[in-house]
Amino acid sequence: MESELSVRDVLTTEYVGVSESDTVRGAVELMRQERASCVLVVRGSDPVGIMTEWDVLGVVADDHEPSDTTIGDVMTSPVITFGSNRSLTDAASTMARENIRNIVVEDGDGVIGLLTQRDVIAAAGSFQAAMKPTRSSALEESRSTDERVGQIAPESGEETESTLLPNGGDEYTTQGVCEACGTLADALWDANGQLVCADCRTV
């Protein structure tokens, strides 16, 4: 199995940045232009909050005027940040535990992007598609398995020579007749090109 995906592999590197003093209406206009579900609130280069589409719905539900409401009044703060090398599994678990849909991703130079719930879902869908076998490969695997089973265990009533299978070293676990003394033995060993029983093997 390939190594696990990291946050860096799937994050959204382009995000909308705003300040706390910007209005909700202005942020909504940016969100519509960029088709973004949230805006990252920054103070200088430091992320201090996130405003999502759900926060905007709260403004409307509370009968606040978006043009008079600042982002600082409605943003979610503080933000949850992840290093870019953290695993996608860790990020998904954190989202579920904290009931959030966005994680800020940082490296040594600061913010490099956002990991959204959509990114996680898209990555999971791609992984499942890659792991799902095609019909032809599944049939081939089934055929291959049947062939192996057929070699090991012929159908009952069919008279065929036993297929001897090694079980580590030179031991053969299939019951058969010793080629040296002619007795029926539960286990045979390869000795100088002959399949022999335990007694003949020690001679």
Side-chain angles (χ1 to χ4, degrees):
M1 182 177 175
E2 294 183 358
S3 59
E4 187 175 5
L5 288 174
S6 69
V7 169
R8 180 187 293 274
D9 295 325
V10 299
L11 65 84
T12 301
T13 55
E14 295 183 359
Y15 60 91
V16 180
V18 296
S19 69
E20 297 165 84
S21 60
D22 289 338
T23 65
V24 171
R25 179 178 294 278
V28 169
E29 291 174 355
L30 288 174
M31 291 167 69
R32 291 188 64 190
Q33 291 173 11
E34 302 297 330
R35 301 183 65 83
S37 61
C38 67
V39 291
L40 179 62
V41 188
V42 293
R43 187 181 298 152
S45 60
D46 297 326
V48 295
I50 284 181
M51 188 188 77
T52 70
E53 51 200 6
W54 288 101
D55 295 320
V56 175
L57 290 176
V59 172
V60 176
D62 293 338
D63 291 329
H64 293 160
E65 175 55 52
S67 298
D68 298 330
T69 306
T70 65
I71 293 175
D73 293 332
V74 299
M75 69 182 185
T76 299
S77 181
V79 295
I80 293 179
T81 61
F82 262 44
S84 60
N85 292 325
R86 291 280 295 276
S87 74
L88 191 59
T89 300
D90 286 345
S93 297
T94 299
M95 284 180 171
R97 183 176 63 253
E98 301 294 334
N99 193 27
I100 59 175
R101 296 188 297 161
N102 304 276
I103 290 177
V104 178
V105 183
E106 297 181 312
D107 63 9
D109 297 325
V111 177
I112 60 173
L114 290 177
L115 180 71
T116 69
Q117 189 178 60
R118 293 174 183 174
D119 295 329
V120 175
I121 293 172
S126 298
F127 179 76
Q128 289 176 351
M131 293 299 292
K132 185 177 181 180
T134 62
R135 179 176 175 82
S136 59
S137 63
L139 289 174
E140 184 64 28
E141 175 63 21
S142 176
R143 186 179 301 113
S144 176
T145 301
D146 291 342
E147 290 172 353
R148 291 195 299 271
V149 171
Q151 291 174 352
I152 296 172
E155 294 182 4
S156 59
E158 183 178 355
E159 295 182 3
T160 60
E161 294 184 2
S162 298
T163 302
L164 303 177
L165 300 176
N167 185 24
D170 59 355
E171 181 181 355
Y172 285 75
T173 58
T174 301
Q175 186 183 56
V177 176
C178 174
E179 294 180 2
C181 67
T183 60
L184 181 64
D186 290 331
L188 300 174
W189 282 263
D190 183 0
N192 297 323
Q194 285 188 313
L195 295 177
V196 298
C197 63
D199 293 335
C200 293
R201 182 183 181 217
T202 60
V203 175

